[in-house]
Each structure stands twice: as structure tokens, then as C-alpha cells.
Amino acid sequence: NNAGLSAQSRTTVYVGTNGTTNQPLTVVSPNGGEIWKRGTQQAITWGTQNGAYPYYSNYPNTTGYVRITLDYRCQAGVYCSSLYRPPYVIQSNAPNSGSSTWYVGTATLDGSNAVSVPSGTYVVTVCRYDGSNQPAGCDSSDSAFTVSD
């Protein structure tokens, strides 16, 4: 809104014939409030409701992968709608193992050309793709975390 405030809600939708192979993906870390220093290595982690890794552990197709992106978030009470930062790509084709190491501050804009991520508040989004490169579910940090110098 004009005051720079926002709200969000989340709904879980199960797609498929059973709840074991099509469970929603869930970002575990960073999930909000963390302060990650540029140049350090941090683990971005995700799972499913039953905690199975990789996501397809009960399914014959194990060729799925994840795409990990970083989206800038304005701090509460700060008006910054004119400040546009595109999503940063941390990994475009990571194994769906439940964890990926990130060298904080490094990313790309298109999956190949390296850029430096500015200090600020962000949420991480992990999207799962199946073996035929079709999107099969995403989740983002519940709230923002900080990248600092």
C-alpha cells in the first residue's frame, strides 16, 4: 500500500493421486530473521511435509531438480516501490537433495552472468521441477532475512 506495508497468506494444495509423492515443498532455511554475511557459505535447505529427501524418494522419477532464486524485500515502514531489483538466480538447476550451499552475495540474473547481490533484505524461493522440466511446486521464506557486509 502507500505506507509501504504488505500482507501475505499461504495455502497448501495437493495435486495428484496421493499425499506422499506430491507433497508441497517447504523452505526450511533461511526462513526469516537470519543475518548472513557476504562471502560466507550458508546452506539453503528445503523439505517436504514428511521430510523425505530427495523430493521423489517414493516415486520412480528421480530426475527432478530445483531452481533457487532470491527476491528483494523492502523493510517494514520503508517506501521503496520505485526501487526495482530483479530476482537473483542462486542456482538454476540444482539437485533436489534438500540442501544447496550458497556463497552469500553471489548470484546471476539469468542463470549464467555473475552479479553481486547488494546488502538488504530478501526472501529465498525454491521451485521444484519434475523430470520433464515442468514446474511442480514452489515455496519461499516465511519472512525476510538479511544479507550484510
Side-chain angles (χ1 to χ4, degrees), residues 36-109:
W36 286 2
K37 186 174 169 75
R38 183 184 314 285
T40 62
Q41 291 182 19
Q42 300 290 340
I44 296 171
T45 58
W46 61 93
T48 61
Q49 191 172 35
N50 71 358
Y53 295 103
Y55 186 87
Y56 292 104
S57 64
N58 299 319
Y59 191 73
N61 179 356
T62 59
T63 59
Y65 66 94
V66 296
R67 176 178 172 90
I68 305 169
T69 57
L70 190 67
D71 291 292
Y72 181 74
R73 290 293 187 259
C74 295
Q75 294 180 357
V78 175
Y79 181 74
C80 61
S81 65
S82 64
L83 176 64
Y84 172 73
R85 293 185 185 172
Y88 296 99
V89 178
I90 294 175
Q91 291 209 354
S92 57
N93 193 353
N96 193 9
S97 63
S99 180
S100 180
T101 300
W102 181 38
Y103 293 90
V104 178
T106 62
T108 69
L109 293 179

Side-chain angles (χ1 to χ4, degrees), residues 4-61:
L5 302 174
S6 65
Q8 57 180 229
S9 64
R10 191 173 287 196
T11 301
T12 300
V13 177
Y14 291 94
V15 179
T17 58
N18 65 43
T20 60
T21 59
N22 292 307
Q23 293 181 24
L25 181 122
T26 302
V27 170
V28 176
S29 176
N31 207 27
E34 299 89 346
I35 299 173
W36 286 2
K37 186 174 169 75
R38 183 184 314 285
T40 62
Q41 291 182 19
Q42 300 290 340
I44 296 171
T45 58
W46 61 93
T48 61
Q49 191 172 35
N50 71 358
Y53 295 103
Y55 186 87
Y56 292 104
S57 64
N58 299 319
Y59 191 73
N61 179 356

